[in-house]
Amino acid sequence: MAPTPISIPSFAETQLQLLLHEHEAEVSSSSLATTAASVSPATRRTLQATGNALTGLILSQCRTGLGGRVVGEFAPDPAIASSESSDGQPRLGTHGIRVGDVVRVNDVSAGAKKVGKDKPKDGADVKGPEGVVTRVSDKAIWIAFGQRGGGARSKEDDEVIEELWSKKLWVIKLANDVTYRRMRQTMEKMGKMTEGDHSQFMRVAFGHTTPLQPDEITEPIEFLDPTLNDSQKDAIRFALGSKDIALIHGPPGTGKTHTLIELIMQFVQRNKRILVCGPSNVSVDNIVERLALKKVPVVRIGHPARLLPSVLEHSLEVLTQTSDAASIVKDVRKEMDEKQASIRKTKSGRERRVIYDDLKHLRKEFRERESKCVDNLVRESSVVLATLHGAGGHQLKNQKFDVVIIDEASQALEAQCWISLMSAEKVVLAGDHLQLPPTVKSTNQKSKDAPKKDAPEDKEILKGFSLERTLFDRLLALHGTGIKRMLTTQYRMHDKIMRFPSDELYESKLMAADSVKARLLVDLPYEVRGTDDTQEPLVFWDTQGGDFPEKTEDAEISKKETLLGESKSNEMEALVVARHVDNLVDAGVRPEDIAVITPYNGQRALLSQMLREKYPGLELGSVDGFQGREKEAVVVSLVRSNEEHEVGFLGEKRRLNVAMTRPKRHLCICGDSDTISRGSSFLKHWMDYLEENADLRYPDAGDLL
Ligand SMILES: Nc1ncnc2c1ncn2[C@@H]1O[C@H](COP(=O)(O)OP(=O)(O)OP(=O)(O)O)[C@@H](O)[C@H]1O
């Protein structure tokens, strides 16, 4: 049956509204974007204490960094610094500014004087220059100025930075809204397109046509990686042959990225030009690292401060300095550095002005030469990698690719995906729609957001849109499973750990690889004693019976907080968890090989109090934060235990799927089967499965206290 077509302009308009709400929700929760330059010393200290600012600084050095940016080194003001390092130099106080953060450097006295040509007409504060943190040590912080988000600069960097010398400064972290800006621009562009502008892929994505019949690849493919399993080979064959869309469905541990690496290499062999994207820098760097191991030449686009050190040599900015084409840029850089160094030695204001003028011209020339060099480098490279929002940068303007591949597509907002897909002809999306979608802060974003001017039937269609609905999910619903191939051998979990999610969510299609299906903690490559725990892959501590009740911190806010999953805790259950961890460690399992996860923040805080100091290496986290990760042993604390049989957060299958598919050799569930089994049929089946297959244990409340 033909899919019901969706109006592209209406879709774009709905997305714009949803994104607006989401951005507002995000900004109000961070409160960073609106902070003015002139704030009291007390507020500055509070901002530092909450990890959002760094106070008491001076500019101590300046040089030309990557991409010709001016990089300033900011050190503690010796006049007020309170602590010193062993070499007697002042040390920065505790702060939460990290490499990659977008920050603004403010003059402590800014706003107080409000003089000079920078004074804005509306009387707002004079705000200092913005940049990206490139390095942080205990004695200084380095910030690269200019080109925020690839935009144009309004004033010459050297001059702006020059104004910071000998001032008392402080640095504030800003909300990074590049992603939102790019999503908005993309949706605006999509909304304005006429039918003639729509690509085949776009028409498929909105149900205006069905996907073209894939090419039957009959000749045998020479796979470069001899270890690929049949489902991986099948997915690669399918993706090579597809004309417009191919989804690679990778359940936990099935080698989704492994498969993409081979696919990329196969495309390269066929002389195709490929853009590879992911929602986060880590997801992209992971692919860059693996391609580099295979000696595939790649260009990685993105601010060097945010890239893993191991992939820096493939970064576009570094390549502009090290490639053959870069020599024309080098001379100018050298000259700029010399000029810059001379400024500090020059006393006369007039001479300094001349140097500034020279620098200004040099920078202009540098940028022109560099931009040519960048263009050539990108144009010549057949594999380009960027985050989804990075794909909207100026470096990729007017670049055409034969294929766009998105990894972790089920964790990206649809609008984010479109940044890289607007002119794509053929698309490969890899992901797992049965794990958690991207985190969305705004609520209430369903039907009422449909644009008013829509025809009634259109409204009906748009009703279903929420930001959490991913492109991956939507395409599957629109065109059915014919557009996807699933990877079916998993290389992570013991068979007993895998069996339930496989049966319940993956149509019983998952198989455990021979190398992992019977692995136990006792088989770890270091000394572990054989115990009831280390020889058992699946343990269920069933707390039913009412002796392990959940607690809500504040009854007043319980309704709202339950939704957010913040305030629930269960002290008695936490004791069961702690006892289990003790037993694992006593048997010889290293704390670093154990993770304790829970859906509730209240419980996480409680567990942290009990276990953090005792086992610094133990990983403690939320289920959502642990997506994409794995550990030898995982203990899950389900928390919910009440007479009303309310399960809140646990009602979300995808969250439980993530929780139960993180371990390799040992999964221990702590929870009240009586409360949980009444939450949904999925939960009922899970409890039945545990009762039959897990090593079932009943904790004694009296014994724990
Ligand atoms: N064909 C294979 N033969 C042997 N090992 C494999 C194979 N495919 C994948 N693996 C291994 O499985 C593990 C998971 O692979 P990879 O990191 O590619 O998975 P993923 O599906 O991207 O991960 P996630 O489950 O986090 O999404 C890796 O240790 C990888 O080496």
Side-chain angles (χ1 to χ4, degrees), residues 346-471:
T346 312
K347 290 264 166 2
S348 131
R350 222 161 50 93
E351 278 173 33
R352 281 163 79 141
R353 197 80 347 259
V354 174
I355 301 179
Y356 281 137
D357 275 350
D358 287 353
L359 265 174
K360 192 170 159 178
H361 288 122
L362 282 171
R363 267 190 214 293
K364 189 159 169 252
E365 187 171 343
F366 183 91
R367 277 201 294 272
E368 280 167 9
R369 286 193 188 193
E370 192 188 51
S371 137
K372 265 202 204 104
C373 180
V374 163
D375 246 22
N376 289 341
L377 274 168
V378 176
R379 205 179 305 282
E380 282 162 14
S381 104
S382 53
V383 186
V384 177
L385 296 104
T387 54
L388 287 164
H389 58 276
H394 60 97
Q395 304 94 333
L396 290 186
K397 231 179 215 150
N398 309 323
Q399 296 281 336
K400 276 298 253 179
F401 294 94
D402 298 306
V403 189
V404 179
I405 299 179
I406 303 182
D407 194 11
E408 296 187 3
S410 46
Q411 283 189 65
L413 297 175
E414 172 153 3
Q416 207 177 350
C417 291
W418 280 109
I419 300 173
S420 67
L421 297 180
M422 290 295 275
S423 56
E425 285 299 329
K426 167 164 168 167
V427 175
V428 179
L429 304 180
D432 180 10
H433 55 296
L434 300 170
Q435 295 183 57
L436 285 164
T439 314
V440 167
K441 289 211 167 90
S442 52
T443 48
N444 240 349
Q445 38 167 314
K446 294 250 164 76
S447 50
K448 75 181 179 64
D449 292 304
K452 292 191 181 52
K453 64 176 189 204
D454 294 320
E457 63 273 24
D458 226 9
K459 229 181 213 171
E460 275 309 301
I461 296 163
L462 292 172
K463 232 189 203 172
F465 286 114
S466 76
L467 285 183
E468 278 179 317
R469 186 90 198 258
T470 62
L471 175 63

Side-chain angles (χ1 to χ4, degrees), residues 290-340:
R290 296 205 208 180
L291 285 173
L293 280 179
K294 310 259 182 185
K295 308 264 178 279
V296 179
V298 301
V299 168
R300 164 72 158 104
I301 290 169
H303 199 294
R306 299 199 184 94
L307 311 189
L308 290 181
S310 54
V311 312
L312 263 184
E313 62 179 299
H314 307 285
S315 127
L316 181 58
E317 304 220 16
V318 174
L319 287 172
T320 43
Q321 288 173 47
T322 54
S323 68
D324 296 341
S327 54
I328 48 158
V329 180
K330 266 190 197 139
D331 311 339
V332 191
R333 165 188 295 276
K334 191 158 167 266
E335 210 177 321
M336 271 184 340
D337 274 345
E338 284 165 8
K339 288 256 181 235
Q340 202 156 34

Side-chain angles (χ1 to χ4, degrees), residues 104 186 198 240 266 281 473 476 515 543 546 562 571 594 611:
R104 177 183 298 138
T186 304
H198 298 151
L240 288 174
Q266 292 287 342
N281 278 303
D473 225 358
L476 265 183
S515 53
T543 62
T562 308
E571 203 165 349
I594 309 172
L611 297 166

